[in-house]
Amino acid sequence: MRNTQRPSFLLLSTLLVFLALPSPSLAFSPKISIATLPTDLPAIQDCRRSAYGNKPDNKLLSAAVSFCNADQIQKKGYICIIAKNNKSVVVGTADLNTNSNVVNNVYVREEARQQGIARLMMEAVEDSMEKPSTLKLTVMSKNVAAVGLYKKMGFQALGVYGGLDALSSVTPLDFLMEMEKKLD
């Protein structure tokens, strides 16, 4: 006579082990820091090149090449916030012009998205700034995920940009919007 309890016990044990595993969306806890240049530069460049499928420079527009090469952060008055995974691979970057308080080039590798990395980097940008001040950024109105994140973090599209924000939901046009947030 076969023991019919054993297979269901094994199935139940396997299911319990599977449920105890971490969720894929919480696969790692990113390490957020200010990049050390020139040490972190190759890893930042590798991260940014992933935005273009690692196409060669001669296949990209000059602005894309500049982004991939991280030209901006190599200038005086800029810092780069980076997010590293548990293997010390840079999975996200955010640049801050410390003279004008403008953040740009907020980017997270596709495979690391939906894990709160952009929010953590933006919080680190805010933490690195003197207060009181105003943090500014520009974003394409059709970049729904970014616009949504910035609004949740307290950024506002003021003046004509507020009108563009409202228009973006009813028109196929994609506008470059300026948003800002007061930091106390």
Side-chain angles (χ1 to χ4, degrees), residues 11-28:
L11 180 61
L12 181 60
S13 298
T14 304
L15 180 61
L16 289 174
V17 168
F18 177 77
L19 292 174
L21 293 175
S23 162
S25 64
L26 302 174
F28 69 95

Side-chain angles (χ1 to χ4, degrees), residues 5-184:
Q5 298 291 14
R6 193 172 228 23
S8 33
F9 175 77
L10 181 60
L11 180 61
L12 181 60
S13 298
T14 304
L15 180 61
L16 289 174
V17 168
F18 177 77
L19 292 174
L21 293 175
S23 162
S25 64
L26 302 174
F28 69 95
S29 188
K31 180 180 180 243
I32 309 296
S33 63
I34 296 175
T36 304
L37 297 179
T39 307
D40 289 321
L41 187 58
I44 292 167
Q45 292 168 333
D46 181 63
C47 175
R48 291 179 177 190
R49 287 197 183 284
S50 74
Y52 297 97
N54 294 311
K55 290 181 183 173
D57 285 356
N58 64 355
K59 300 287 184 187
L60 300 174
L61 296 174
S62 62
V65 172
S66 179
F67 168 75
C68 291
N69 291 338
D71 292 340
Q72 183 172 274
I73 62 169
Q74 297 178 64
K75 298 175 184 173
K76 185 175 170 68
Y78 283 88
I79 63 169
C80 180
I81 302 294
I82 58 175
K84 290 183 178 180
N85 66 13
N86 55 356
K87 295 179 182 174
S88 295
V89 173
V90 173
V91 295
T93 68
D95 301 346
L96 175 65
N97 180 323
T98 57
N99 297 318
S100 63
N101 292 337
V102 174
V103 65
N104 55 25
N105 297 331
V106 179
Y107 174 71
V108 177
R109 285 181 188 256
E110 190 171 337
E111 67 271 14
R113 293 180 185 165
Q114 301 298 312
Q115 298 184 51
I117 294 171
R119 173 181 284 280
L120 292 171
M121 290 189 305
M122 289 298 293
E123 289 171 353
V125 164
E126 291 179 17
D127 291 344
S128 71
M129 295 177 58
E130 292 184 23
K131 298 176 187 71
S133 60
T134 301
L135 179 58
K136 298 178 183 177
L137 57 84
T138 56
V139 61
M140 298 305 293
S141 62
K142 294 292 183 186
N143 188 343
V144 177
V147 171
L149 169 66
Y150 300 143
K151 285 181 177 180
K152 284 180 190 172
M153 294 187 73
F155 283 84
Q156 296 178 322
L158 303 174
V160 69
Y161 296 107
L164 293 176
D165 183 25
L167 274 176
S168 70
S169 64
V170 296
T171 179
L173 299 176
D174 198 7
F175 304 103
L176 183 65
M177 294 189 330
E178 185 175 295
M179 299 180 83
E180 63 181 52
K181 177 181 179 179
K182 303 263 187 235
L183 304 176
D184 298 321

